[in-house]
Amino acid sequence: MVVVMSPGAPPEHLAAVVARIEQAGAKAFVSRGLDRTIVGVIGEGSRVAELTLAGMPGVATVLRVSEPYKLVNRQACTERSVVWVGSAGREVPVGPGTFTLIAGPCAVESAAQTLGAARLAAGAGATLLRGGAYKPRTFPGVFQGLGKDALRILADVRDATGLYVVTEVIDPADVELVASYADMLQVGAANMQNYALLDSVGRQGKPVLLKRGLQASVDEWLMAAEYVAQRGNCEIVLCERGIRTFETATSATLDLASIPLVQRLSHLPVIVDPTHAAGRRDLIVPLARAAIAAGADGLLIDVHPDPENALVDGPQALAGAELRELASAVRQLPPVLGRRPA
Amino acid sequence: MVVVMSPGAPPEHLAAVVARIEQAGAKAFVSRGLDRTIVGVIGEGSRVAELTLAGMPGVATVLRVSEPYKLVNRQACTERSVVWVGSAGREVPVGPGTFTLIAGPCAVESAAQTLGAARLAAGAGATLLRGGAYKPRTFPGVFQGLGKDALRILADVRDATGLYVVTEVIDPADVELVASYADMLQVGAANMQNYALLDSVGRQGKPVLLKRGLQASVDEWLMAAEYVAQRGNCEIVLCERGIRTFETATSATLDLASIPLVQRLSHLPVIVDPTHAAGRRDLIVPLARAAIAAGADGLLIDVHPDPENALVDGPQALAGAELRELASAVRQLPPVLGRRPA
Amino acid sequence: MVVVMSPGAPPEHLAAVVARIEQAGAKAFVSRGLDRTIVGVIGEGSRVAELTLAGMPGVATVLRVSEPYKLVNRQACTERSVVWVGSAGREVPVGPGTFTLIAGPCAVESAAQTLGAARLAAGAGATLLRGGAYKPRTFPGVFQGLGKDALRILADVRDATGLYVVTEVIDPADVELVASYADMLQVGAANMQNYALLDSVGRQGKPVLLKRGLQASVDEWLMAAEYVAQRGNCEIVLCERGIRTFETATSATLDLASIPLVQRLSHLPVIVDPTHAAGRRDLIVPLARAAIAAGADGLLIDVHPDPENALVDGPQALAGAELRELASAVRQLPPVLGRRPA
Amino acid sequence: MVVVMSPGAPPEHLAAVVARIEQAGAKAFVSRGLDRTIVGVIGEGSRVAELTLAGMPGVATVLRVSEPYKLVNRQACTERSVVWVGSAGREVPVGPGTFTLIAGPCAVESAAQTLGAARLAAGAGATLLRGGAYKPRTFPGVFQGLGKDALRILADVRDATGLYVVTEVIDPADVELVASYADMLQVGAANMQNYALLDSVGRQGKPVLLKRGLQASVDEWLMAAEYVAQRGNCEIVLCERGIRTFETATSATLDLASIPLVQRLSHLPVIVDPTHAAGRRDLIVPLARAAIAAGADGLLIDVHPDPENALVDGPQALAGAELRELASAVRQLPPVLGRRPA
């Protein structure tokens, strides 16, 4: 950490800053310049000191020089991690060296629709099935998800197809229930800083799929993962799904630089959801190809047996020709980049 | 709602669109152009139809022409609403004609600190006391809020000062507890689309202070309010606290155009939190003045008796000279704009 | 400047960094930490060194600790500056202590329309007249501005009304011509980093109105002003007109925190253009009030005698009731904030 | 175009809107709804009418339903275009079916450095050489580009290596000079809406490389291209180089969805500059791979024989191992996607 003093800050302000640093158990190195004095802060206590130095008189700025996350930091574990999903002995890996396709319907609408989507997903190379049970929306009288019934359908479809189940949890009170049916719990973008939910998924044993918030920097996303890891659950897969920018031609702007960046900063696997970033079917396959080429460890894709009649997000679900194109990209590109199917 | 067909869409695609609109109970008006055909959709069923038309073959875009929120829409209630906070007979209004200052410490640290902050707040013209009980943060070993003890302190300070209590709730499971102590429940920016929490605060009886999410458009913010109102609670005060942009000189960019905009679109009161938008003490008073002049119904401000030793967000708490400047702005400006103190 | 070395950078990388700093004539102060070493750089040569240190092996980041602009820096001149516009002996000030209204039509369409708009402007308290001569737009067959004829009309209207003329220049080749008619040259937001144009307006003698680019940070805006000042022209008024964000309800998001911020960082006057930020008439007056309250040194406003028939940007020009409201705000608010009309 | 009337707009407002549409030579189709009336506008005159309808009384919004660009629109030319760069008989194509690598130093520093960079570029598969002659920067005493000398060096290196020259022009007054040396003229991101420059490059005969502005939507970028095309020059290659967002880990956020999007909306070729989006060397190769996979028609890459001593942007120039990785990606990936080297 570096403390930059204001131009003309009097010696007593500098002395107070140094005193507080030392009080927190860290060491202070002072460099006096022509118009600015800077103080290097080194040591364990620096994190605590950081929280209170910024407001002291004479302090212009406090600059962080190391990452605030530790458990999910790449330095904690120089090898990139693999997260294993599913039953012992038959787990599906998500991580370096492999490529994992997670696909399924945005929302579980019925047993038949979910089974149909799962078969399409499996046919395209998926080993994990996604499907939403909780779909809170504002329009009165509109489909809001099947809740517990959806969880049962997903479990049945897993039995029928062998695809493990990834599903979103929204209420901390539902975490135990969802974890009793699903193989991986998804935290959605809108909940990336919902600490009650992060706490709850961090205290159960199933792997977590943590989507990046629409407004979250890469650092904040890793801090959310750190929060989950601190509660005891390090089985976290990150999912880039686009950030909000001024461009309205797509639902969100997919930030593919975050893939190599996260892989340098953290040991956690990271996948990409091009479906919700694009928000329109015709851009999904090119973005999926780009995600694979950027080095993603997997993809999360909406598929639906009958997108025209989907109750949620039909315009962005793949089927037919586009799904065949996706399947071909998933077969063809990862091997060129040194990955085998998971 | 208007459906724009793709150039060259064949007649059967148009026919299918018209059929679906009529099936949903709405009427379709077709205008055939040189290279585009557009379909006006009129009627009750249009909202339901909107959700599925976008993905149909031959449809280029679906354009919404009326706002999707109804209960909080200004058209539902041409007069702007007043939300009353506190005990019967002695309520504090938030709304048109008055100006309400809500002030207090970012976090409740102790009874003495909270009482000190409350007295500063009251001295500056506040009639409502803010103070945080839950402060989840990632650094291990760092202060996370006093929880239930903070709620008790806030209630005691209310008894001692007469200031009603506004405090944030984070976990839906805590809503009942928090509502038993507080006079108004705050939903933070990070939770603006936390539907489990919105559901929970919508089903209890205390007024709600709903902060705008860092990534939320004005429409999405009003949709979050609509979600709360649909659960039975229409006592909602909106709070602009800045949106995330590329500018890093401030924590967030305060969007003051949202104040007159929300007042045209909705009947709900809207206040401004300049503290968390600025993220630095020296910009707060100018932004507070600007918020009053833009027509805000109130302000939410961090004050602390000893900002240098604050455990959370000290660098942005007001005290001393800046607090006196704020008090003077709150006394002087609202009357010029036709408002009296609340 | 502070150089942060990567964790584990070998001693020879550190030695090379120190050598390069000293070679540039600056001094290096090394603080060795547990996992990071940081190097404080002090001295005249640090600016030159900054440009090449970032790419050296072992360097993780280079952090700037002082502002890169010097001539326009508040430290260069502790009093805030006044820019004077117009003929000797009868200049209009823009700066601290006064409040200046600049108003007029977006585009000069005819002598009669410009004179009409100028009279409305003067009636509302304006002492400077804005009016566009060059309006490049993409639609073929659409009005593109009257060019030199507009400049002549503006000069005639100045003679008739006593209002000095502010007009935008777009092509460096036109700067001399425009400066021969106008009293102040405007550089538009889209040209804030058009260095050929900045060079040209910096080498002539009339004051410059420099709009903030839609994508420009406050630092970059001040750097553009510095570029003009380096060419010899320090008579610069900055103009905040909104930045581009994800919010589409307005044309741009007016960043009013930039007003107090610029006034702390620079000695240059700063005004606000709420017209082009709002992009819709009904939000302009509230934003104008907010700008005054935030401490702006003036306003730039579109007025038109017949907005419905305006050739450019009619929907955002003020007339009638809204213009009267603006005039009343401009009369009433600045005195409350310690300013007199300019 | 669709005009949406305000709820409760009286019949005379509707009549005036219809009258103005018909006066402009277009046809109006009125759909009366419960609380809204919408007017479909069809016909040639609709573009002119659009410019003035928005401000009429009773008009809530005007929604565009077709793209405002015509010459560069994909509908103007259903096949995607190829732009040919260089001398007759030996031109290098940029467009569908091929993949073009443009590489070279950010700035021309000397004949030796430029030749060295050109040889590295050619070795990596480049057929076009980039190199900057004009580098306006604010720091006094800092390298600003070699200007005309750089143009001569580039021409000499072209003779020595056979690589055609792409270089940026900044001042409209230099266009003729630059075009006499270069084979393709680059318009930089900061100048995307510099109409004097667009006019000038549109009136000369060499192909244009048009970078997307940091704040520009895809529509605005295509409108800038339309402006060039209207002046007679349709030989335009678009270049995505990232947009400005809140994420500060990279210089800009590369918007790869713009590649398939532009290819659907326009017939012009589109390439990607990952160097300036990333702003750091270690992310460039993954982003380059992603750009190829997204369907880009080419790449623009900074290479330098000695990045550590580069005068401009050294930290983002490729050399050594990273350049070999890039070369391998450029050899390997385009064929998988059905493209051959250009």
Side-chain angles (χ1 to χ4, degrees):
Chain A
M1 193 170 60
V2 174
V3 180
V4 182
M5 302 299 294
S6 305
E12 60 270 26
H13 288 173
L14 179 62
V17 165
V18 170
R20 181 164 299 183
I21 292 163
E22 291 174 346
Q23 205 181 310
K27 294 188 74 174
F29 294 78
V30 176
S31 318
R32 274 183 194 78
L34 295 178
D35 54 14
R36 298 265 181 177
T37 294
I38 59 186
V39 186
V41 186
I42 301 288
E44 279 298 302
S46 66
R47 194 137 310 110
V48 176
E50 178 182 350
L51 301 167
T52 56
L53 289 167
M56 294 185 72
V59 171
T61 349
V62 176
L63 305 165
R64 233 169 48 197
V65 304
S66 58
E67 300 84 16
Y69 40 88
K70 298 297 161 198
L71 298 173
V72 306
N73 199 306
R74 182 79 189 257
Q75 287 185 260
C77 165
T78 45
E79 292 296 298
R80 296 189 56 230
S81 300
V82 175
V83 169
W84 297 92
V85 180
S87 318
R90 296 194 310 116
E91 296 101 335
V92 169
V94 186
T98 57
F99 188 84
T100 312
L101 177 61
I102 310 177
C106 186
V108 170
E109 299 167 19
S110 69
Q113 166 257 12
T114 305
L115 185 62
R119 288 193 169 136
L120 287 176
T127 45
L128 300 175
L129 171 68
R130 63 152 294 163
Y134 303 95
K135 291 281 153 191
R137 291 185 301 170
T138 313
F139 297 117
V142 154
F143 179 70
Q144 308 273 335
L146 298 180
K148 197 174 170 181
D149 288 345
L151 299 175
R152 278 197 211 102
I153 291 172
L154 288 166
D156 290 348
V157 171
R158 172 182 50 205
D159 294 346
T161 61
L163 298 177
Y164 292 114
V165 167
V166 183
T167 196
E168 185 174 357
V169 59
I170 286 187
D171 190 331
D174 292 334
V175 165
E176 205 180 330
L177 174 73
V178 175
S180 74
Y181 285 97
D183 302 290
M184 184 176 213
L185 271 60
Q186 178 178 320
V187 173
N191 286 314
M192 195 202 82
Q193 292 183 318
N194 175 344
Y195 290 103
L197 187 63
L198 296 180
D199 186 86
S200 198
V201 299
R203 294 183 191 283
Q204 56 81 47
K206 295 282 172 74
V208 175
L209 184 66
L210 179 62
K211 286 200 162 183
R212 181 179 183 181
L214 275 170
Q215 82 303 341
S217 68
V218 165
D219 267 10
E220 292 165 337
W221 186 21
L222 291 173
M223 287 297 270
E226 181 83 3
Y227 197 86
V228 173
Q230 283 175 1
R231 267 95 203 131
N233 189 345
C234 293
E235 302 300 302
I236 304 165
V237 174
L238 299 164
C239 180
E240 162 71 36
R241 49 81 74 228
I243 56 175
R244 180 156 279 188
T245 71
F246 64 79
E247 177 57 74
T248 56
T250 44
S251 294
T253 300
L254 200 63
D255 176 17
L256 287 178
S258 75
I259 303 306
L261 191 60
V262 159
Q263 292 173 348
R264 275 153 186 70
L265 296 171
S266 170
H267 55 87
L268 297 179
V270 57
I271 69 168
V272 173
D273 170 1
T275 304
H276 292 85
R280 41 186 278 184
R281 196 176 295 139
D282 62 344
L283 304 178
I284 294 171
V285 175
L287 286 178
R289 283 194 200 104
I292 300 173
D297 297 312
L299 285 173
L300 182 70
I301 299 278
D302 276 21
V303 303
H304 196 287
D306 180 14
E308 248 192 79
N309 290 300
L311 297 179
V312 183
D313 283 352
Q316 60 198 38
L318 296 189
E322 278 110 346
L323 185 55
R324 284 190 295 276
E325 267 194 273
L326 176 82
S328 135
V330 165
R331 245 192 335 267
Q332 215 174 4
L333 281 176
V336 178
L337 297 144
R339 291 177 183 266
R340 55 185 174 73
Chain B
M1 194 172 60
V2 174
V3 180
V4 182
M5 303 300 292
S6 305
E12 60 271 25
H13 288 174
L14 178 63
V17 165
V18 170
R20 180 164 301 182
I21 291 164
E22 292 175 346
Q23 204 179 315
K27 293 188 74 174
F29 293 79
V30 177
S31 317
R32 272 183 195 77
L34 295 178
D35 54 14
R36 297 267 181 176
T37 294
I38 60 186
V39 186
V41 185
I42 301 288
E44 278 300 300
S46 66
R47 194 134 314 108
V48 176
E50 179 182 350
L51 301 167
T52 56
L53 288 167
M56 293 183 73
V59 172
T61 349
V62 176
L63 305 165
R64 232 170 50 199
V65 303
S66 58
E67 299 84 16
Y69 40 90
K70 299 295 160 199
L71 298 173
V72 306
N73 199 307
R74 182 80 188 256
Q75 287 184 261
C77 166
T78 46
E79 291 297 298
R80 294 189 56 232
S81 301
V82 176
V83 169
W84 298 92
V85 181
S87 317
R90 296 195 310 114
E91 297 101 334
V92 169
V94 186
T98 57
F99 189 83
T100 312
L101 178 62
I102 310 176
C106 185
V108 171
E109 299 168 19
S110 70
Q113 167 257 10
T114 305
L115 185 60
R119 287 192 170 136
L120 287 175
T127 44
L128 300 176
L129 171 68
R130 60 152 294 162
Y134 303 94
K135 291 280 152 190
R137 292 185 300 171
T138 314
F139 297 116
V142 154
F143 179 71
Q144 308 273 334
L146 297 180
K148 195 173 172 182
D149 289 344
L151 299 174
R152 280 198 209 99
I153 291 172
L154 287 166
D156 291 347
V157 172
R158 172 181 51 205
D159 294 346
T161 61
L163 298 177
Y164 292 115
V165 167
V166 183
T167 196
E168 183 174 357
V169 59
I170 286 187
D171 190 331
D174 292 334
V175 165
E176 204 180 332
L177 175 73
V178 175
S180 73
Y181 286 96
D183 301 291
M184 184 176 213
L185 272 59
Q186 177 179 319
V187 174
N191 286 314
M192 195 202 83
Q193 292 182 318
N194 176 343
Y195 291 102
L197 188 62
L198 295 180
D199 186 86
S200 197
V201 300
R203 294 183 191 282
Q204 55 82 47
K206 295 284 172 72
V208 175
L209 184 65
L210 180 62
K211 287 199 160 183
R212 180 178 182 181
L214 276 168
Q215 81 303 338
S217 68
V218 165
D219 266 10
E220 291 165 337
W221 188 19
L222 291 173
M223 286 297 269
E226 180 83 2
Y227 196 86
V228 173
Q230 283 175 0
R231 266 97 203 129
N233 189 343
C234 293
E235 302 300 301
I236 304 164
V237 174
L238 299 164
C239 180
E240 163 71 36
R241 50 82 71 229
I243 56 175
R244 181 155 277 190
T245 71
F246 63 79
E247 176 58 74
T248 56
T250 44
S251 293
T253 300
L254 200 62
D255 176 17
L256 287 177
S258 75
I259 304 304
L261 191 60
V262 159
Q263 292 173 349
R264 276 154 187 69
L265 295 171
S266 170
H267 56 86
L268 297 179
V270 58
I271 68 168
V272 173
D273 170 0
T275 305
H276 292 85
R280 41 185 281 183
R281 195 176 297 139
D282 63 343
L283 304 178
I284 294 170
V285 176
L287 285 178
R289 283 195 200 103
I292 301 173
D297 298 310
L299 283 174
L300 182 69
I301 299 279
D302 276 20
V303 303
H304 196 286
D306 180 12
E308 248 192 79
N309 290 299
L311 295 178
V312 183
D313 281 352
Q316 60 199 37
L318 296 190
E322 277 110 348
L323 185 55
R324 284 190 295 275
E325 269 194 90
L326 176 81
S328 136
V330 165
R331 246 190 335 266
Q332 217 175 1
L333 281 176
V336 178
L337 296 146
R339 290 177 184 266
R340 57 184 173 71
Chain C
M1 193 171 62
V2 174
V3 180
V4 181
M5 303 299 293
S6 304
E12 59 271 25
H13 288 173
L14 178 62
V17 165
V18 170
R20 181 164 298 183
I21 291 164
E22 292 175 346
Q23 205 180 312
K27 294 188 74 175
F29 293 79
V30 176
S31 318
R32 273 183 194 79
L34 295 178
D35 55 14
R36 297 266 180 177
T37 294
I38 59 187
V39 186
V41 186
I42 301 287
E44 278 300 300
S46 66
R47 195 137 311 109
V48 177
E50 178 183 349
L51 301 167
T52 56
L53 288 168
M56 294 184 70
V59 171
T61 348
V62 177
L63 305 165
R64 235 169 47 198
V65 304
S66 57
E67 300 83 18
Y69 40 89
K70 299 296 161 198
L71 299 172
V72 306
N73 198 307
R74 182 80 189 255
Q75 286 184 261
C77 166
T78 46
E79 292 297 297
R80 296 188 55 229
S81 300
V82 175
V83 169
W84 298 92
V85 181
S87 316
R90 298 195 307 115
E91 297 101 333
V92 169
V94 187
T98 57
F99 188 84
T100 312
L101 177 62
I102 311 176
C106 185
V108 170
E109 299 167 18
S110 70
Q113 167 256 10
T114 305
L115 186 61
R119 288 194 169 134
L120 287 176
T127 45
L128 300 175
L129 172 68
R130 62 152 295 164
Y134 304 95
K135 292 281 153 192
R137 292 185 298 171
T138 313
F139 298 117
V142 154
F143 180 70
Q144 309 273 334
L146 297 180
K148 197 174 172 181
D149 289 344
L151 298 174
R152 279 197 210 99
I153 290 172
L154 287 166
D156 290 348
V157 171
R158 172 181 51 205
D159 294 347
T161 60
L163 299 177
Y164 292 115
V165 167
V166 183
T167 196
E168 183 173 358
V169 58
I170 286 187
D171 191 330
D174 292 333
V175 165
E176 207 179 328
L177 174 74
V178 175
S180 74
Y181 286 96
D183 302 290
M184 185 178 213
L185 272 60
Q186 177 179 319
V187 174
N191 286 315
M192 195 202 82
Q193 292 182 318
N194 176 344
Y195 291 102
L197 187 63
L198 296 180
D199 186 86
S200 197
V201 299
R203 294 183 191 282
Q204 57 81 47
K206 296 282 173 72
V208 176
L209 183 66
L210 179 62
K211 287 202 162 182
R212 180 179 184 180
L214 275 170
Q215 82 303 341
S217 69
V218 166
D219 266 10
E220 290 164 338
W221 188 19
L222 291 173
M223 286 297 270
E226 180 84 2
Y227 196 87
V228 173
Q230 283 175 1
R231 268 98 202 129
N233 189 343
C234 293
E235 303 300 302
I236 304 164
V237 174
L238 299 164
C239 180
E240 162 71 36
R241 49 81 73 230
I243 56 176
R244 181 155 279 188
T245 70
F246 64 79
E247 177 58 73
T248 56
T250 45
S251 292
T253 301
L254 199 63
D255 176 17
L256 288 177
S258 76
I259 304 305
L261 191 61
V262 159
Q263 292 174 349
R264 275 152 186 70
L265 295 171
S266 170
H267 55 87
L268 298 178
V270 58
I271 69 168
V272 172
D273 170 1
T275 305
H276 292 85
R280 42 186 279 182
R281 196 177 295 139
D282 63 343
L283 304 179
I284 294 171
V285 175
L287 285 178
R289 283 195 199 103
I292 300 172
D297 297 313
L299 284 173
L300 182 70
I301 299 279
D302 276 21
V303 302
H304 196 286
D306 181 13
E308 247 191 81
N309 289 300
L311 296 178
V312 182
D313 282 351
Q316 61 198 40
L318 295 190
E322 277 110 347
L323 185 54
R324 284 191 295 275
E325 267 193 275
L326 177 82
S328 137
V330 164
R331 247 192 333 269
Q332 215 176 2
L333 281 176
V336 178
L337 296 146
R339 291 176 182 267
R340 55 185 176 72
Chain D
M1 194 171 58
V2 174
V3 180
V4 181
M5 303 300 291
S6 305
E12 59 270 27
H13 288 174
L14 178 64
V17 165
V18 170
R20 182 163 300 180
I21 291 164
E22 291 174 347
Q23 204 180 313
K27 294 187 75 175
F29 294 79
V30 176
S31 320
R32 272 183 195 79
L34 295 179
D35 54 13
R36 299 266 180 177
T37 294
I38 58 186
V39 186
V41 186
I42 301 287
E44 276 301 298
S46 66
R47 194 135 312 108
V48 177
E50 177 185 349
L51 301 167
T52 56
L53 289 168
M56 294 184 73
V59 172
T61 348
V62 177
L63 304 165
R64 232 169 50 199
V65 304
S66 58
E67 299 84 17
Y69 40 88
K70 298 295 161 201
L71 299 172
V72 306
N73 198 306
R74 181 80 189 255
Q75 286 184 263
C77 167
T78 45
E79 292 296 297
R80 294 190 55 231
S81 300
V82 175
V83 169
W84 298 92
V85 181
S87 317
R90 295 196 309 117
E91 298 101 332
V92 168
V94 186
T98 57
F99 189 84
T100 313
L101 178 61
I102 310 176
C106 185
V108 170
E109 299 167 19
S110 71
Q113 167 257 9
T114 305
L115 186 60
R119 287 193 170 136
L120 287 176
T127 45
L128 300 175
L129 171 68
R130 61 153 294 163
Y134 304 95
K135 291 279 151 190
R137 291 185 299 170
T138 314
F139 298 115
V142 153
F143 179 72
Q144 307 273 334
L146 298 180
K148 195 173 173 180
D149 289 344
L151 299 173
R152 279 198 209 99
I153 291 172
L154 287 166
D156 290 348
V157 172
R158 172 181 50 205
D159 294 346
T161 61
L163 298 178
Y164 292 115
V165 167
V166 183
T167 196
E168 184 173 358
V169 59
I170 286 187
D171 191 331
D174 292 335
V175 165
E176 205 180 330
L177 174 74
V178 175
S180 74
Y181 286 96
D183 302 291
M184 183 177 214
L185 272 60
Q186 178 179 320
V187 174
N191 287 314
M192 195 202 84
Q193 292 181 318
N194 176 343
Y195 291 103
L197 187 63
L198 295 180
D199 186 86
S200 198
V201 299
R203 295 182 191 283
Q204 55 82 49
K206 294 282 172 73
V208 176
L209 183 65
L210 180 62
K211 286 200 162 182
R212 180 179 183 180
L214 276 169
Q215 82 303 338
S217 69
V218 165
D219 266 11
E220 291 164 338
W221 188 20
L222 291 173
M223 286 297 270
E226 180 83 3
Y227 196 87
V228 173
Q230 283 175 0
R231 268 96 203 131
N233 189 344
C234 293
E235 302 299 301
I236 304 164
V237 174
L238 299 164
C239 180
E240 162 72 37
R241 50 81 72 229
I243 56 175
R244 181 155 277 188
T245 70
F246 64 80
E247 177 57 74
T248 56
T250 45
S251 293
T253 300
L254 199 63
D255 176 17
L256 287 177
S258 75
I259 304 306
L261 191 60
V262 159
Q263 292 172 348
R264 275 154 187 69
L265 295 172
S266 169
H267 56 86
L268 298 179
V270 58
I271 68 169
V272 172
D273 170 0
T275 304
H276 292 85
R280 43 186 279 184
R281 195 177 297 139
D282 62 342
L283 303 180
I284 295 171
V285 176
L287 285 178
R289 282 194 200 106
I292 301 172
D297 297 311
L299 283 173
L300 182 69
I301 299 278
D302 276 21
V303 303
H304 196 286
D306 180 13
E308 249 191 79
N309 290 299
L311 296 178
V312 182
D313 282 352
Q316 61 198 39
L318 296 190
E322 277 109 349
L323 185 54
R324 283 190 297 275
E325 268 193 273
L326 176 82
S328 136
V330 165
R331 245 191 335 268
Q332 216 175 2
L333 280 177
V336 177
L337 297 145
R339 291 175 183 268
R340 57 185 173 70

